[in-house]
Every structure is written in structure tokens, then in C-alpha cells.
Amino acid sequence: MIQGSQALVVRDLRKKYPGTEALKGIDLTLPKGEICGLLGPNGSGKSTLLKCVIGLLQADSGTIEIFGQKPSRHTKAQIAFVPEIDNLYRWMTVQETIDFISTFYEDWEPQRVPDLLDFMRLEPEKRVSSLSKGMRARLKLILTLARTAPLVLLDEPFSGIDPSSRDRIVEGIVREFKSEEQTMIISTHAVGDTEQLFDSVVFLDEGTVNLQGNAEDLRVRYRKSINDLFKEVFA
Amino acid sequence: MDFSTSIPIYLQIIEEFKRQIAIGSLRPGDKIPSQRELALELKVNANTVQRAYREMEILGLVETLRGQGTFICQNPRLVEETKTEMLTNLIDEFLQAMNSLGYKEEAVLELLKERCEQHQISTGQEGSNE
């Protein structure tokens, strides 16, 4: 099979829930090796789009190609997905959580775990129930970064956490992201001081793509930072 | 560096290197951080740093030696050229702003001279107070 230069191509993707149309024909192309910011307010369709990409949701119509292939069990194994919801078992310790999750993935690299725990300042013997929201967000990130999946989807990794945890997560992403072999999508409803992470951005507004492009090009074209542009688009 | 501005981040990185060359805190032949190190230090996407370094190589500011790292170019005129370029840009920006306010070059010169004299007086007074 020919491997193209695109990590993800979405064409005219539509998804309805009873009473609402979550995705109204999404088109987007994401080149390999980039970090893409999927930006939009709550309810704009970010999570729905990510869930369609990983295959947790079936779209009503439209197409998705992941590294040139239709979503399947095979493409699912190539994606590391961190959902927004808190999916950790509270009664487990940090180490037990890591051991448990690692069994699901063939691309898990156990030798990276001690360094990641250290960097994220998490103690392996602590119980999940005793962790702050920011610490749980850091643990969730470790569960992704210990894998070598070529496509990484982070749904709202900065949502509702303290600034120091956010800084650690930003730093962890910069430190661990390997552009030669990975592509990443990070969704967020608050750009804040995370805009220096993004190669490209997609603005999602009520289920449609409002604006997309290279972040540096957009700064020049609109003479605004991505954060200011975001505030203007969603004012 | 302030990434909340409209100036592309890779350009801000280049400007910072130029500034350091101009004021002499980076000298020709000095080793600069690896792309990865700088990305981590600034918490910026490594692709952006890569773009800045690529541009700086094209501009003749730095050179990368295989297996050794990236260095400020051994060009004896680099400091002078960088200073001149930054200076010219600053003055051009200022002149453009003044022109847009309706001041022609002769008027600008006159105002600038006046302002410089006031500046000398005020900084002179500060000095005598200490």
C-alpha cells in the first residue's frame, strides 16, 4: 500500500445526534509530522470528530482516511487517544494504572515509564483517588506518551487543571513529540498560552470548520496571535 | 519571548538570536543550543525551532556542523551587519510611522533633534540626583 504524506484526511464528515447536528460536513487535511490544534468552544464538535477518527463513533456520512486507510481495527492500533472524560480507576495506584493500561497496547514502551513519571512528578505508589485533577491529567498523558503510536489524539488535555500542571503537559508534549514519526491533534476550548505548540490550527464552530491553516501563516495574514484570532472568531 | 503577539514564532526566535549577536552576547564561532534544547527551553513546537534554524542558515547567521552542533557563523562582518540591519529596520519603522502621521523627513529630523536634547537634559538630571 502506498503511504501518502497525509496523516489524516477527512471529507464531508457528518454526524447527527437526536436533536442536534454535531458535525455538518467537516473537511480537513493533516500532514504527517505536525501538531494540530483543534480549537473551538464546548459543543463545537471537537470530541465527536476525534471519536469518529478513532472509531468510537460511526459518522452518518463522509470519509476518513488515516495514513491513507479507512478506519478499522488496524488504524485504531495506530492511534493513541486520550479522552476528555476521567477514565482512570480511582482505587488503583499510579503504577497499577500504568501496568493495567500497558497490557492493551502492543506499542507500549515500558522503559520510558520511569523517566515519564519523574518528568511528570508523579509517585508510582500514590492512589489515583488521592491525585488532583492536574495530576490525573499528567498521568493520562503518560499513558499516551509511553506508546509509539504514529497518530496521537489528545482531547482537552488542559481543561480545568492548574497552571503548573498545564505547563508540565505543554513541556511534556514538546519533549516527547517526535515529528519524524508522529502526528498529534490536541483539542482545546481555551488557547491561552498553549499556542506555541501548534504547527497548524483548525477552528471548529458548531460542527463546521470555520478556519484552518498553518499557525505562522495565520498570524501573518490576520496580524493576530492564534489566541486573539480565536477570541475574535468565537466572540 | 512573548508568543501572544502576531509575529510568527520562528521570526521571534531569529530576532532574538540577531539581538544577541548585535549586543555581543553571542559571538562568531559560539555554539548555540541544539534545536531540541531550545524547543524545550522555550516550550515551543520543535518544528518551529527547526524552521528558525533553517532560515538562520540561509541568512548566513549560523552553520550546522554534522555531529558537532550549530554555531554562529565565523564571519568577521556579522556583528556589524546584524547591527546595521536591526538599526535600519528600527529607523525605517519609525519613519514610516511618522510619515503616516503626516511628518516629512525634514520635520522628523527637527523633532528628533529637539527630543534628543530634552532626553540628554532629563537623563543628565537623573544622573546628578543619584
Side-chain angles (χ1 to χ4, degrees), chain B residues 6-18:
Chain B
S6 65
I7 302 162
I9 291 168
Y10 83 97
L11 286 179
Q12 292 189 51
I13 294 171
I14 296 173
E15 280 306 304
E16 179 56 25
F17 275 107
K18 281 186 183 168

Side-chain angles (χ1 to χ4, degrees), chain A residues 82-100:
Chain A
V82 179
E84 186 186 0
I85 53 150
D86 211 334
N87 57 344
L88 304 171
Y89 291 109
R90 304 197 138 238
W91 49 269
M92 283 186 180
T93 64
V94 168
Q95 189 62 52
E96 283 166 352
T97 305
I98 287 170
D99 293 342
F100 173 66

Side-chain angles (χ1 to χ4, degrees), chain A residues 124-140:
Chain A
E125 63 281 4
K126 276 260 175 76
R127 285 215 180 274
V128 171
S129 56
S130 73
L131 303 180
S132 69
K133 192 161 186 225
M135 290 163 109
R136 294 203 300 276
R138 283 184 265 155
L139 176 55
K140 277 161 70 178

Side-chain angles (χ1 to χ4, degrees), chain A residues 12-227:
Chain A
D12 198 27
L13 202 72
R14 291 167 192 275
K15 175 73 186 172
K16 266 186 195 160
Y17 297 122
T20 113
E21 207 177 347
L23 303 177
K24 301 172 184 166
I26 301 285
D27 288 295
L28 64 90
T29 304
L30 179 55
K32 278 184 192 168
E34 292 198 350
I35 299 180
C36 171
L38 181 60
L39 315 177
N42 291 321
S44 56
K46 302 188 300 294
S47 291
T48 303
L49 176 59
L50 293 181
K51 282 175 189 162
C52 287
V53 172
I54 178 83
L56 288 172
L57 277 176
Q58 183 80 43
D60 300 330
S61 65
T63 60
I64 297 174
E65 280 184 16
I66 298 145
F67 302 113
Q69 296 178 296
K70 301 263 175 277
S72 66
R73 189 177 296 178
H74 175 68
T75 59
K76 199 171 173 181
Q78 294 182 298
I79 304 175
F81 174 61
V82 179
E84 186 186 0
I85 53 150
D86 211 334
N87 57 344
L88 304 171
Y89 291 109
R90 304 197 138 238
W91 49 269
M92 283 186 180
T93 64
V94 168
Q95 189 62 52
E96 283 166 352
T97 305
I98 287 170
D99 293 342
F100 173 66
I101 297 290
S102 68
T103 61
F104 293 106
Y105 303 112
E106 285 182 10
D107 60 353
W108 187 271
E109 301 207 312
Q111 71 277 15
R112 286 169 76 175
V113 171
D115 174 53
L116 286 169
L117 279 170
D118 196 44
F119 181 78
M120 289 296 175
R121 297 187 184 143
L122 289 174
E123 291 165 37
E125 63 281 4
K126 276 260 175 76
R127 285 215 180 274
V128 171
S129 56
S130 73
L131 303 180
S132 69
K133 192 161 186 225
M135 290 163 109
R136 294 203 300 276
R138 283 184 265 155
L139 176 55
K140 277 161 70 178
L141 192 70
I142 291 179
L143 302 176
T144 312
L145 297 181
R147 295 180 56 190
T148 57
L151 182 59
V152 179
L153 311 179
L154 307 179
D155 197 7
E156 296 278 2
F158 311 113
S159 180
I161 61 173
D162 56 288
S164 76
S165 284
R166 191 187 53 219
D167 283 354
R168 276 275 116 169
I169 288 176
V170 168
E171 232 176 302
I173 292 168
V174 169
R175 185 170 175 260
E176 300 299 325
F177 177 71
K178 311 230 169 1
S179 63
E180 315 79 50
E181 52 209 45
Q182 281 187 313
T183 307
M184 190 179 271
I185 303 178
I186 303 172
S187 85
T188 181
H189 68 278
V191 180
D193 48 10
T194 62
E195 69 171 81
Q196 74 275 14
L197 274 181
F198 308 130
D199 288 299
S200 63
V201 292
V202 174
F203 284 59
L204 213 55
D205 188 13
E206 293 180 2
T208 59
V209 174
N210 187 307
L211 186 67
Q212 68 175 309
N214 175 280
E216 301 278 51
D217 292 346
L218 292 174
R219 289 183 185 105
V220 174
R221 195 187 326 154
Y222 294 96
R223 297 182 185 210
K224 281 191 167 64
S225 68
I226 299 301
N227 193 26

Side-chain angles (χ1 to χ4, degrees), chain B residues 6-69:
Chain B
S6 65
I7 302 162
I9 291 168
Y10 83 97
L11 286 179
Q12 292 189 51
I13 294 171
I14 296 173
E15 280 306 304
E16 179 56 25
F17 275 107
K18 281 186 183 168
R19 198 184 65 81
Q20 292 199 29
I21 292 169
I23 64 173
S25 63
L26 278 176
R27 294 163 191 279
D30 279 357
K31 191 175 182 180
I32 64 169
S34 73
Q35 295 183 18
R36 201 146 195 96
E37 285 165 352
L38 190 67
L40 269 176
E41 189 187 316
L42 301 176
K43 295 181 194 170
V44 163
N45 183 327
N47 290 330
T48 308
V49 176
Q50 189 183 35
R51 183 170 175 188
Y53 276 44
R54 206 169 48 218
E55 291 280 329
M56 289 197 293
E57 280 178 17
I58 294 167
L59 292 170
L61 293 173
V62 302
E63 55 190 337
T64 298
L65 302 177
R66 195 174 279 271
Q68 295 183 57

